[in-house]
DNA sequence: ATCCAGGACGCTG
DNA sequence: CAGCGTCATGGA
């Protein structure tokens, strides 16, 4: 079947793949394949609208963040011309609402790694350990990883991150309130996340921004550290201090703006 | 061969 | 609390 999802501005390739906030979507023949909730879905753009083969349109709209007014974002950073320019430069970019567990596993694997290889690791992890849903494999459940021999994870290619995955899975299976982070203040959720093995400030912020709806979370990587100096006039070497300063400067949607800055810096659209 | 990748950990000062 | 070496892996 073919369901109408919406006519809001969104560039599916940019939002689902090229922006590197999610590593599990694939593209084939102009359509995009991935998991939303428990469903394997196919999404495509057609006649200025977004369509899907999934009937759960509400879940899809939430995942794609279609109900947010992104044009207001440029106004929120209008006093930083480079940031406002980055926001206006990618009208089709959106910050996805992923399940926190998916984001947690993805960004544990992202540490000291590159996007292409993160994508390979995520897909291999899901294909070899995740539950099958149609043509797609979900992320492996915590209980699966807890009982997974580290040698098997090494064989997938996760390297030294094997124990991070297992220990974090053990914590989540043991009652870590992963699904309650969304309803906590940013700082409380952050403090909890960094207690997990393999989760530092940067990964915690990614989980919060991409998986907990914490739009103020401001992940700082090498690109963001550079572009903050150029776009926000922030000359701060310490990453945690830089993230805190950016949050204070940009407000409750600092993380959304961060995603535009990240893409602008990484693609060279903004000189850093 | 060395460097880098959406860093985190563990130890030392 | 800050600084620093180390940690797999593969592509440039």
């Amino acid at each position: 079947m073919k369901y109408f999802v919406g006519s809001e501005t969104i560039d599916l390739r940019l939002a689902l793949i090229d922006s590197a906030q999610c590593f599990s979507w694939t593209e084939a023949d102009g359509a995009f394949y991935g998991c939303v909730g428990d469903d394997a879905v196919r999404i495509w753009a057609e006649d200025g609208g977004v369509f899907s083969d999934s009937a759960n349109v509400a879940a899809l709209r939430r995942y794609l963040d279609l109900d947010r007014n992104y044009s207001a974002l440029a106004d929120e950073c209008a006093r930083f011309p480079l940031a406002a320019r980055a926001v206006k430069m990618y009208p089709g970019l959106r910050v996805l609402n992923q399940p926190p567990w998916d984001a947690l596993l993805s960004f544990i694997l992202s540490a000291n790694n590159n996007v292409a290889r993160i994508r390979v690791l995520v897909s291999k992890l899901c294909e070899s350990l995740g539950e099958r849903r149609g043509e797609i494999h979900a992320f492996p459940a915590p209980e699966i990883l807890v009982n997974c021999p580290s040698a098997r994870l090494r064989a997938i290619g996760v390297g030294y991150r094997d124990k991070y995955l297992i220990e974090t899975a053990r914590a989540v299976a043991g009652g870590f309130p992963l699904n309650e982070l969304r309803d906590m203040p940013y700082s409380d959720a952050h403090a909890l996340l960094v207690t997990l093995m393999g989760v530092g400030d940067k990964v915690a912020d990614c989980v919060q921004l991409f998986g907990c709806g914490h739009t103020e979370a401001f992940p700082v990587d090498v690109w963001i550290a550079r572009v903050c100096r150029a776009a926000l006039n922030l000359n701060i070497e310490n990453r945690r201090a830089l993230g805190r300063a950016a949050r204070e400067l940009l407000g409750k949607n600092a993380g959304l703006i961060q995603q535009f800055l990240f893409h602008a810096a990484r693609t060279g659209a903004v000189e850093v």
Side-chain angles (χ1 to χ4, degrees):
Chain A
M1 277 297 293
K2 172 179 172 181
Y3 299 91
F4 177 66
V5 179
S7 55
E8 287 82 2
T9 302
I10 182 171
D11 179 336
L12 293 175
R13 182 180 297 110
L14 177 57
L16 296 172
I17 299 178
D18 291 344
S19 57
Q21 52 181 308
C22 180
F23 308 95
S24 55
W25 287 83
T26 58
E27 177 184 8
D29 300 324
F32 299 84
Y33 299 81
C35 264
V36 174
D38 290 332
D39 299 322
V41 303
R42 181 167 69 97
I43 312 173
W44 68 95
E46 183 182 329
D47 295 333
V50 175
F51 294 85
S52 169
D53 65 351
S54 163
N56 199 344
V57 168
L60 214 41
R61 290 189 58 83
R62 197 179 81 86
Y63 185 92
L64 298 173
D65 209 30
L66 291 183
D67 292 311
R68 187 189 304 278
N69 176 16
Y70 275 74
S71 57
L73 218 49
D75 299 330
E76 297 179 23
C77 57
R79 58 194 178 110
F80 303 105
L82 277 180
R85 187 156 70 87
V87 170
K88 293 174 183 169
M89 198 176 304
Y90 309 108
L93 178 57
R94 282 173 179 266
V95 177
L96 307 173
N97 291 299
Q98 304 172 48
W101 175 243
D102 297 11
L104 182 55
L105 290 183
S106 298
F107 283 93
I108 283 176
L109 294 176
S110 81
N112 197 25
N113 215 339
N114 63 68
V115 172
R117 216 171 76 83
I118 298 165
R119 213 163 263 135
V120 171
L121 292 183
V122 166
S123 70
K124 288 173 78 173
L125 184 71
C126 293
E127 282 168 19
S128 62
L129 295 172
E131 182 181 331
R132 187 178 191 84
R133 284 171 191 156
E135 305 295 308
I136 307 290
H137 286 267
F139 281 77
E143 295 77 14
I144 298 294
L145 284 178
V146 168
N147 298 307
C148 182
S150 64
R152 186 163 181 196
L153 293 175
R154 292 263 176 168
I156 289 173
V158 305
Y160 62 90
R161 306 172 189 85
D162 55 349
K163 55 184 176 297
Y164 299 166
L165 294 174
I166 293 172
E167 287 308 311
T168 289
R170 190 188 313 282
V172 172
F176 183 90
L178 189 59
N179 293 310
E180 298 162 32
L181 299 178
R182 166 176 295 276
D183 300 316
M184 299 181 190
Y186 164 82
S187 298
D188 293 357
H190 193 86
L192 276 173
L193 278 167
V194 296
T195 66
L196 297 171
M197 184 71 57
V199 180
D201 286 318
K202 196 272 180 181
V203 170
D205 277 331
C206 286
V207 173
Q208 294 182 258
L209 179 58
F210 303 132
C212 299
H214 291 175
T215 55
E216 69 268 53
F218 195 92
V220 179
D221 70 341
V222 285
W223 290 107
I224 287 298
R226 293 172 193 156
V227 78
C228 278
R229 192 174 53 237
L232 305 181
N233 195 27
L234 288 176
N235 277 302
I236 302 175
E237 66 299 335
N238 182 275
R239 297 219 178 155
R240 181 164 31 184
L242 179 55
R244 185 166 55 241
R247 284 199 307 279
E248 290 171 0
L249 226 43
L250 297 175
K252 62 176 170 40
N253 290 328
L256 302 181
I257 296 168
Q258 180 270 2
Q259 194 60 14
F260 289 83
L261 286 172
F262 172 73
H263 195 254
R266 199 164 78 96
T267 59
V270 165
E271 201 69 32
V272 293

